[in-house]
Amino acid sequence: MNLDAKIPEGSLEKKWENYKKTAKLVNPANRKKLDVIVIGTGLAGSSLAASLGEMGYNVKSFCFQDSPRRAHSVAAQGGVNAAKNYKNDGDSVYRMFVDTLKGGDFRAREANVYRMAECSLNLIDQAVAQGVPFGREYGGYLNNRSFGGVQVSRTFYSRGQTGQQLLLGSYQALMRQVGKKTVKLHARHEMLDLVIIEGKARGVIIRNLDTGEIERHAAHAVVLATGGYGKIYYLSTLAMGCNGSAIWRAHKKGALMASPSWIQIHPTSLPQSGDYQSKLTLMSESLRNDGRIWVPLKENEQRSANDIPEQERDYYLERRYPAFGNLAPRDISSRAAKERIDAGFGIGPLKNAVYLDFSKAIKEQGIDKIKEKYGNLFDMYEKITGYNAYQVPMMISPSAHFSMGGLWVDYELMTTIPGLFALGEANFADHGANRLGANSLLQASVDGYFIAPYTIANYLSGDIHTGKISTDHTEFEKAEQEVRTQLQQFSKSKGTKTVDYYHKTLGKILYDYCGLARNEAGLKFAISEIQKLREEFHRNVHIPGNEETMNTEIEKAGRVADYLEIGELMCYDALTRNESCGAHFREEYQTPEGEAKRNDAEYQFISAWEWNNASVPILHKEPLSFEVIQPIVRSYK
C-alpha cells in the first residue's frame, strides 16, 4: 500500500498557502446538495460542523453525550498554544514549529507541524471574537504562561478551565447552525459501524442510546472527531465514556491505524487511592509554572511534607534537567517520577506519588496571585483530597492521558478510505511520539475551523453530481446486520464476570507492560495475556438486560471488545519499534543516563497498521523526511 501524504509543493512556509490556492471549491448552490456526517462534538467536531453549516452544507452531528457541551474537550484545563509573541520573549511560528517537532522526538511530518503553528495565530483571534474569556494582564492585554518543553510563554488560558471555555465558543457556533437548520444534532447517539460503498465512506450505523434503536445515516463524506483511546488503561484522566470504538470500527473497514502505542502518560494527575476508583483526576500542567516537584531524599520517608527541611528534598527535575526544570516535557517528567517512585522515594498513603509544592511561589508572589492564576484547580484539589494546597504540597502521580496515535491521515486529514476524515485526537498527525502541553486544544480547533473546511470541500467537489446517497443500499443492510449480530451476542452473554472486570484487567496488563516503559519479553507476554483475556471476555462476560432498550452495559461491552483488540495492536506496534522515542520507552534502548535512545537510521517512519482478521496486523511504513530541521538528540538539560 502506497501511503501518499499529499504534502504540497513549495517551501515549508508556503505549503499551506499553496494548497489553499489550488484546492477545488464547491459553489454555494451546490453545497446544499451535499451531506456531511460529523461524529463527535468536542472542539474538532463542533467547530467543523459549525463551519460546514455556515458554508451551506447539510450536516448531521452526532455525540453519545446528552449534550455537545459534555464532550471531553471540556476537561482540558491549562491552555491553548499560539505563537503570538505577546511577551516579546523570542517566540515565533518557526520556534513553535521547532519546539513541537522536537517535543514529539522527530516522529511527525514537518508540513503538518508547521501548519498547526501557522494557524495558531488565527485561532486566538477567532476565540476572542467568540467571547472566550482568556486571562488578561492589568492593562487588558491577553496574558500568557509557559508549558512543558518550551522556554517562551505562548499558552493562552482561562484560569484552569480553558477547554470548557473554548468548547462553549464552538458549541455556540454549532447551535447557531442548528437554529438555522444547516446542522441536525443527534445527542445520545453512538456510531457502531462505517458504511463503505464502492470504496468510499458513505454513511454510518448509529445506535440511539435512549431507545436502543438502530439507525442508518448516509452522506457524501464522514468525519470522525471522537478523541483518543487513553481510557483503554481504565485508570486515566479521561471520562468514563471516552472510547476508541469509532476509529477502531473504521480501522476494521480499511482505515490504517498509525502509531497506536504512542500514548502519553501525564505527570500531573492525582494518584490512585484505591481499587474502587474508575478514573483519575488531571491537575493542569500549568501548575508546573509555579509549583516545584520533589521527593524526600530519604527512602520510605514518614514525616509530613512541611516537616522535611529543604536540604532533605530532591527537586529531581531541576537536578536532572536544569535548562527546563519543572517544565520538562510530559514523557520525560512522567518517567522521572516513576523512577523515583519505583526507587522507594514515593510519598502518600500508597507511596505512589510525588510532591508539587507552591510554598516558594506563594512566598514570592503572594497567595492572592496564585489564587488568581490557579484558584479553581486548588479548590478542585481540596474537594477531592481534603487537603489545602496553599498550606501543604499537592500529591501528584503519572496517569494515562492522550493518544498521539490514531487513524493515519494525509495532509488533507483524510484516511486511507476516500471520504473518511479524522480530526483532532482521532488522528495521529501533528504531535509525533509525544505531545507538548496545550497543543491538544490547538490541534482540535485548527483542524475544525481552518483546515478541514478547505480539504473536505476539495474532496466534495467531485461529488456535486452524485446525488443523494441512499440508505437502502446493500452495504447499509450488511453493516446494520453485523451491528445487530454483535449486540444480540452480547445480549445473550450471561457469564460470571462484569465488563468492568475485563476493562480493569486489560488496563493493568497494558500499564505494566505497554505503559511508561516497555521491553520485548513484557510485550510478548502482554500479547499472549490479552489474547486469552479476549477469548474469555466473549465466552464469560455478563451483560444484563437486552439490546432493544437503554442499556449502558451493552454500550460498555462493545467498547471493551474494541479495547481488547486495540490493546493487542498497541503491543505489536511497541514490539516492532526497536528504539525509544517520546512516549515509547523501550528499556533495551536507552542511554547510560537512562534517557530515550532514538534510532533514526532504521525507524524514521510512521507505523501504519492494516487490519488482518485472520492473523497478525500488517505493517506499512510512511517514511519521514526532514528538509528544514535535521533530527538531533532530544535534550532538555
Side-chain angles (χ1 to χ4, degrees):
M1 183 180 294
N2 180 30
L3 293 177
D4 181 9
K6 299 180 186 175
I7 298 173
E9 296 294 325
S11 65
L12 188 65
E13 297 83 1
K14 295 291 185 181
K15 288 184 185 298
W16 181 230
E17 182 180 332
N18 290 341
Y19 178 88
K20 290 189 289 185
K21 284 180 181 177
T22 58
K24 297 175 183 177
L25 303 176
V26 179
N27 78 48
N30 285 331
R31 293 173 198 164
K32 300 174 183 177
K33 306 174 185 177
L34 297 169
D35 304 315
V36 182
I37 288 171
V38 181
I39 309 294
T41 57
L43 270 175
S46 59
S47 60
L48 176 66
S51 299
L52 294 177
E54 182 71 33
M55 294 164 71
Y57 295 100
N58 302 311
V59 182
K60 288 184 178 180
S61 172
F62 296 88
C63 67
F64 65 76
Q65 296 91 347
D66 54 8
S67 165
R69 289 175 298 174
R70 298 293 299 274
H72 200 60
S73 296
V74 75
Q77 298 169 338
V80 57
N81 286 333
K84 287 285 200 179
N85 195 32
Y86 282 177
K87 293 287 188 180
N88 198 28
D89 56 359
D91 201 11
S92 65
V93 168
Y94 182 81
R95 188 176 295 277
M96 183 175 177
F97 156 71
V98 172
D99 287 343
T100 301
L101 203 62
K102 176 185 174 184
D105 223 349
F106 299 94
R107 290 294 178 261
R109 295 188 199 122
E110 281 188 331
N112 286 70
V113 174
Y114 191 89
R115 178 176 62 182
M116 183 175 71
E118 180 183 0
C119 292
S120 72
L121 304 178
N122 294 329
L123 174 62
I124 301 305
D125 299 335
Q126 164 103 1
V128 170
Q130 289 178 332
V132 174
F134 287 125
R136 295 178 181 268
E137 295 178 339
Y138 179 77
Y141 294 104
L142 296 182
N143 205 353
N144 295 126
R145 55 193 179 201
S146 293
F147 258 55
V150 305
Q151 293 177 308
V152 297
S153 296
R154 69 164 64 104
T155 304
F156 294 78
Y157 62 91
S158 295
R159 298 187 77 182
Q161 50 183 252
T162 314
Q164 180 183 13
Q165 298 303 325
L166 285 170
L167 184 62
L168 286 172
S170 61
Y171 167 75
Q172 289 171 163
L174 172 65
M175 296 310 293
R176 178 172 182 267
Q177 297 306 315
V178 171
K180 293 176 67 175
K181 302 190 184 307
T182 62
V183 176
K184 188 172 183 180
L185 179 64
H186 300 265
R188 296 282 298 153
H189 283 67
E190 182 174 23
M191 171 186 159
L192 294 185
D193 209 352
L194 177 72
V195 179
I196 299 176
I197 300 175
E198 296 178 356
K200 295 182 177 181
R202 291 303 198 191
V204 291
I205 304 299
I206 298 284
R207 182 171 183 266
N208 184 321
L209 300 182
D210 289 333
T211 66
E213 181 182 359
I214 303 299
E215 304 173 1
R216 304 178 185 181
H217 295 272
H220 298 89
V222 177
V223 181
L224 302 184
T226 53
Y229 48 93
K231 191 63 185 172
I232 194 169
Y233 290 95
Y234 192 74
L235 284 177
S236 78
T237 65
L238 280 73
M240 284 300 294
C242 293
N243 64 85
S245 287
I247 61 173
W248 190 249
R249 306 289 170 94
H251 170 63
K252 294 174 76 169
K253 284 297 181 73
L256 298 193
M257 191 84 167
S259 307
S261 67
W262 292 350
I263 297 187
Q264 183 171 81
I265 308 296
H266 198 292
T268 319
S269 164
L270 297 191
Q272 182 181 4
S273 56
D275 292 336
Y276 54 84
Q277 284 180 269
S278 58
K279 76 176 298 292
L280 299 173
T281 302
L282 175 69
M283 300 305 293
S284 170
E285 181 173 311
S286 64
L287 293 169
R288 293 200 278 148
N289 272 277
D290 290 302
R292 301 178 71 197
I293 295 173
W294 62 276
V295 293
L297 279 173
K298 177 184 174 183
E299 289 186 48
N300 197 29
E301 176 65 74
Q302 300 300 315
R303 291 175 292 177
S304 63
N306 289 343
D307 292 334
I308 301 174
E310 189 74 14
Q311 64 271 21
E312 296 182 32
R313 301 178 178 188
D314 178 15
Y315 295 91
Y316 59 88
L317 288 179
E318 298 174 26
R319 169 173 55 83
R320 292 182 60 179
Y321 308 102
F324 284 75
N326 296 294
L327 285 173
R330 291 177 176 178
D331 57 329
I332 289 173
S333 300
S334 290
R335 283 197 297 272
K338 183 178 186 296
E339 186 276 328
R340 290 289 81 194
I341 292 169
D342 290 348
F345 298 95
I347 56 92
L350 301 181
K351 301 298 181 185
N352 62 344
V354 299
Y355 287 124
L356 180 59
D357 193 332
F358 291 87
S359 57
K360 186 172 184 287
I362 291 172
K363 183 178 180 180
E364 293 176 349
Q365 302 175 39
I367 193 170
D368 290 340
K369 189 65 176 178
I370 299 301
K371 285 183 177 180
E372 178 186 327
K373 290 190 281 188
Y374 313 114
N376 64 307
L377 296 170
F378 278 63
D379 292 344
M380 181 172 69
Y381 182 84
E382 185 169 9
K383 285 180 180 179
I384 294 171
T385 68
Y387 291 104
N388 183 336
Y390 297 109
Q391 298 174 359
V392 297
M394 289 183 179
M395 291 183 287
I396 59 167
S397 182
S399 174
H401 180 58
F402 186 92
S403 313
M404 279 78 65
L407 292 180
W408 184 92
V409 293
D410 58 24
Y411 189 76
E412 297 183 303
L413 306 184
M414 188 158 67
T415 70
T416 46
I417 299 175
L420 177 68
F421 295 80
L423 274 60
E425 197 178 351
N427 72 37
F428 85 101
D430 292 355
H431 306 296
N434 171 64
R435 177 178 65 78
L436 292 184
N439 270 352
S440 61
L441 294 179
L442 173 63
Q443 184 209 357
S445 299
V446 161
D447 283 359
Y449 283 126
F450 305 125
I451 299 175
Y454 282 95
T455 63
I456 292 176
N458 182 64
Y459 172 79
L460 289 175
S461 65
D463 261 328
I464 57 176
H465 299 299
T466 300
K468 288 286 182 182
I469 308 297
S470 173
T471 57
D472 294 330
H473 195 281
T474 55
E475 290 299 326
F476 274 94
E477 176 68 31
K478 180 181 176 182
E480 180 181 335
Q481 188 53 52
E482 289 174 354
V483 165
R484 289 188 181 277
T485 297
Q486 185 193 51
L487 292 172
Q488 288 164 3
Q489 288 173 343
F490 283 145
S491 182
K492 294 175 183 176
S493 184
K494 306 298 181 184
T496 62
K497 294 179 181 176
T498 65
V499 176
D500 282 346
Y501 164 81
Y502 291 100
H503 193 174
K504 287 180 181 179
T505 304
L506 172 65
K508 188 172 189 324
I509 293 171
L510 289 173
Y511 193 83
D512 288 346
Y513 300 105
C514 194
L516 273 168
R518 301 98 186 263
N519 60 58
E520 181 178 0
L523 290 166
K524 288 180 177 178
F525 175 78
I527 290 171
S528 173
E529 290 299 297
I530 292 170
Q531 289 172 345
K532 289 187 286 188
L533 187 68
R534 183 168 65 246
E535 189 276 330
E536 183 192 333
F537 169 82
H538 287 289
R539 174 173 47 83
N540 194 42
V541 69
H542 180 81
I543 311 292
N546 60 61
E547 77 279 10
E548 296 176 350
T549 184
M550 180 186 289
N551 189 335
T552 57
E553 288 301 303
I554 215 165
E555 296 167 30
K556 290 195 295 183
R559 297 165 189 172
V560 171
D562 294 332
Y563 276 151
L564 285 161
E565 294 174 345
I566 297 172
E568 185 176 350
L569 181 60
M570 286 169 56
C571 294
Y572 274 118
D573 184 51
L575 187 61
T576 57
R577 187 169 285 272
N578 295 327
E579 66 165 353
S580 291
C581 59
H584 170 65
F585 189 78
R586 282 284 296 271
E587 293 173 339
E588 304 96 322
Y589 308 101
Q590 57 181 300
T591 67
E593 296 80 24
E595 303 296 340
K597 189 175 182 180
R598 240 180 27 240
N599 182 350
D600 293 334
E602 298 181 81
Y603 293 95
Q604 193 169 289
F605 61 81
I606 296 297
S607 300
W609 294 91
E610 179 182 350
W611 171 254
N612 183 6
N613 191 40
S615 184
V616 299
I618 301 167
L619 174 62
H620 303 273
K621 300 176 182 179
E622 180 202 338
L624 291 171
S625 60
F626 296 94
E627 301 173 6
V628 177
I629 301 178
Q630 292 306 306
I632 59 173
V633 175
R634 183 174 175 239
S635 175
Y636 293 91
K637 296 183 177 181

